[in-house]
Amino acid sequence: MAKIAFYTLGCKVNQADTASMENLFLRSGHQLVSFDGEADVYIINTCVVTNTGQRKSRQTIHRAIRKNPNALIVVTGCYPQTAAEEVKAIAGVDMIIGNQDRAQIVQLVEERLAHRQTDTLDAVHKLTASTAFEEMAAGDITDKTRAFLKIQEGCNQFCTYCIIPYARGPLRSRSLESIRTETQRLISAGFKEIVLIGIHLGCYGKENPDGPTLYDAVKTVLDVPGVQRLRLGSLESVEVEPRLLTLMQEDARFCRHLHLPLQSGCDKVLQAMHRPYTTAKFKTLLADIKNRVPDIAITTDVIAGFPGETEADFETTCKFAESCGFSKMHIFPFSARKGTPAEKFAGAVMEAVKKERADILGKIDETMHKTFLQAMVGQNAEVLFEQPAGEDYFEGLTGNYQRVFVKSGGHNLGGEILPVKITAFDGEKLFGEIIKD
Ligand code: SF4
């Protein structure tokens, strides 16, 4: 038995990949320990989506090497997949594993522990159209409230700023049968909410013209007895099928929350980004969604300071974002990624200007977010409780993804879904009272 310590950087898909790998080690009789303590094996699941992600990945690798120079240092994920030679050149790294072959990670680590060698073991494979979806079981060692089930991998969109298609490879999807079995297993383990995630979730099944679609995946989950809630991870606005919205209207278990990345509210910039919509199209889709599902929360991502974005373009983005009424907007200053087309685009925006624009968008977000929360006061919502918040309160999430705090009277509400009346918004948090029948 070895002591295994994981560190994860980046997105929810990466977190889900780590949770699956942790499961594999536990099932093979190994022990999971804190990354801050002594371990025999340190596994760093890396991120390269921004320069910061990549820098933090490198720092974490060095931290692990310093902590225990005799430990096995394994680097996995998007960094070795996109820059294998660079990672191998870090003295002290023993093994690199890309974004495939992680189902074999336990065997690879065990073999390496048994036969330590000085050269770095390279398990990074080219990801091609024939690469299959790696069907690892979802992680289940958390607090049993929300389970993240990865059903899709890869992306064929190639937005000009994005490194992800190079890091994650082409589209591939988990089979409906595997989605059904995994959902059954997670529900039996006690999970209340299933969150379907993927790199390009809306393209679920689209690698095969006759394949299933995201709607089929959603139906498959909802048809499993015992599922109390289903939520979707990020997807593109143009991939929200009308029948998905109909299902959301009809089935209260399907959470009324969609994360639809906007990235820019200026058509010139959207085109340069190679995004699959115009602002007019995005607005029409948004209006249709809000019409059909009035209490839905729409969250989004916006990039500030894309190359060529002028002051006027940025103002257009601000006005457009304000008019969309997002419940939350995540803002990212543009970060040029090596090997992407945007890295070489003319019209680079200065760092200080990017920051200034991100701050302005941040203020717009604050106003929209507060307006959304204030409008929820007086409404009733089903809250899935997660954890205590201080001595008296418990916190949980509504179906439309808002955090609510209720007085718990000392009761452990963890894992319960209860009806709550939203009673107040203090400018930061929502408060509520459990509705007793
Ligand atoms: S859709 Fe665009 S932003 Fe999203 S992963 Fe694919 S290339 Fe990146």
Side-chain angles (χ1 to χ4, degrees):
M1 184 189 78
K3 288 183 184 166
I4 316 282
F6 271 93
Y7 194 97
T8 313
L9 296 111
C11 64
K12 288 205 169 73
V13 175
N14 239 20
Q15 309 282 346
D17 288 339
T18 294
S20 294
M21 289 187 279
E22 285 179 338
N23 250 8
L24 293 173
F25 279 103
L26 278 180
R27 286 180 190 179
S28 305
H30 296 287
Q31 187 192 352
L32 295 177
V33 296
S34 154
F35 198 82
D36 293 325
E38 277 282 303
D40 303 308
V41 183
Y42 291 91
I43 303 176
I44 302 105
N45 194 4
T46 55
C47 168
V48 295
V49 76
T50 59
N51 286 322
T52 310
Q54 184 155 333
R55 195 180 60 245
K56 282 191 184 158
S57 296
R58 282 185 73 88
Q59 284 167 349
T60 312
I61 296 165
H62 285 295
R63 206 172 107 209
I65 295 166
R66 276 197 307 273
K67 204 175 281 285
N68 181 1
N70 297 319
L72 193 79
I73 306 293
V74 182
V75 182
T76 184
C78 294
Y79 190 16
Q81 188 67 51
T82 50
E85 294 311 315
E86 193 177 308
V87 182
K88 269 161 69 179
I90 303 174
V93 170
D94 296 293
M95 188 186 286
I96 59 169
I97 304 174
N99 278 328
Q100 197 73 5
D101 298 305
R102 284 170 327 166
Q104 285 80 45
I105 192 166
V106 177
Q107 293 91 302
L108 289 167
V109 165
E110 284 175 349
E111 275 167 30
R112 194 71 180 182
L113 283 172
H115 312 284
R116 288 295 289 262
Q117 291 150 0
T118 47
D119 58 319
T120 306
L121 184 120
D122 184 341
V124 177
H125 294 107
K126 203 167 176 330
L127 302 169
T128 67
S130 56
T131 306
F133 182 85
E134 198 166 39
E135 302 211 345
M136 289 196 287
D140 58 7
I141 52 172
T142 59
D143 64 1
K144 305 285 187 285
T145 51
R146 295 194 292 154
F148 290 85
L149 178 56
K150 183 168 106 175
I151 64 165
Q152 187 279 331
E153 180 59 274
C155 178
N156 295 354
Q157 175 68 28
F158 288 93
C159 298
T160 53
Y161 55 83
C162 188
I163 190 83
I164 299 300
Y166 311 90
R168 293 277 178 174
L171 298 177
R172 50 213 191 270
S173 308
R174 189 185 282 273
S175 69
L176 290 177
E177 193 44 47
S178 171
I179 292 176
R180 185 174 301 114
T181 335
E182 270 299 281
T183 304
Q184 280 161 345
R185 191 182 64 79
L186 292 164
I187 295 302
S188 307
F191 284 96
K192 302 296 184 310
E193 180 177 309
I194 305 292
V195 188
L196 296 183
I197 55 171
I199 292 293
H200 195 152
L201 186 64
C203 279
Y204 171 82
K206 286 193 182 162
E207 63 275 20
N208 177 354
D210 307 318
T213 65
L214 183 58
Y215 174 83
D216 301 310
V218 167
K219 279 289 284 172
T220 300
V221 172
L222 290 173
D223 285 347
V224 171
V227 171
Q228 294 188 51
R229 262 192 186 186
L230 163 75
R231 189 183 298 282
L232 293 182
S234 173
L235 72 157
E236 295 293 347
S237 52
V238 287
E239 289 152 4
V240 182
E241 284 185 86
R243 55 186 182 155
L244 262 185
L245 295 173
T246 308
L247 203 54
M248 201 178 262
Q249 283 170 297
E250 289 171 352
D251 195 325
R253 297 173 302 159
F254 190 179
C255 289
R256 297 174 166 212
H257 166 228
L258 290 174
H259 184 81
L260 310 175
L262 171 65
Q263 308 303 16
S264 172
C266 165
D267 286 326
K268 184 192 96 185
V269 178
L270 284 176
Q271 201 183 12
M273 286 176 164
H274 191 226
R275 299 292 292 160
Y277 48 82
T278 58
T279 49
K281 176 90 181 161
F282 191 92
K283 208 49 179 293
T284 308
L285 291 164
L286 205 65
D288 187 42
I289 294 169
K290 287 188 176 182
N291 229 344
R292 282 156 161 267
V293 192
D295 53 348
I296 196 167
I298 311 272
T299 51
T300 199
D301 299 326
V302 175
I303 295 173
F306 188 77
E309 183 189 73
T310 62
E311 272 303 320
D313 297 336
F314 176 66
E315 271 171 36
T316 307
T317 286
C318 290
K319 285 206 185 84
F320 186 79
E322 268 173 326
S323 74
C324 289
F326 297 115
S327 63
K328 181 80 201 144
M329 185 161 69
H330 302 272
I331 300 133
F332 302 90
F334 172 72
S335 170
R337 304 309 295 127
K338 209 166 145 209
T340 60
E343 184 204 2
K344 302 212 164 64
F345 281 1
V349 177
M350 285 191 313
E351 288 305 318
V353 177
K354 277 190 229 170
K355 188 179 173 312
E356 197 183 305
R357 291 181 186 174
D359 289 346
I360 293 170
L361 283 168
K363 294 217 169 63
I364 294 171
D365 166 56
E366 204 183 318
T367 308
M368 282 193 295
H369 184 55
K370 287 184 176 173
T371 307
F372 188 88
L373 292 182
Q374 186 62 55
M376 283 183 70
V377 176
Q379 293 179 11
N380 295 343
E382 298 282 316
V383 174
L384 170 53
F385 287 98
E386 291 173 346
Q387 66 223 356
E391 276 182 19
D392 287 347
Y393 285 89
F394 234 86
E395 61 177 284
L397 275 180
T398 62
N400 67 357
Y401 210 55
Q402 303 308 321
R403 198 152 284 280
V404 177
F405 295 78
V406 301
K407 279 219 159 140
S408 58
H411 296 296
N412 179 6
L413 304 177
E416 290 195 53
I417 298 181
L418 295 169
V420 167
K421 181 168 183 69
I422 312 289
T423 52
F425 173 56
D426 72 354
E428 268 185 45
K429 293 179 186 158
L430 282 178
F431 295 87
E433 286 166 10
I434 294 168
I435 301 170
K436 307 218 166 68
D437 29 55

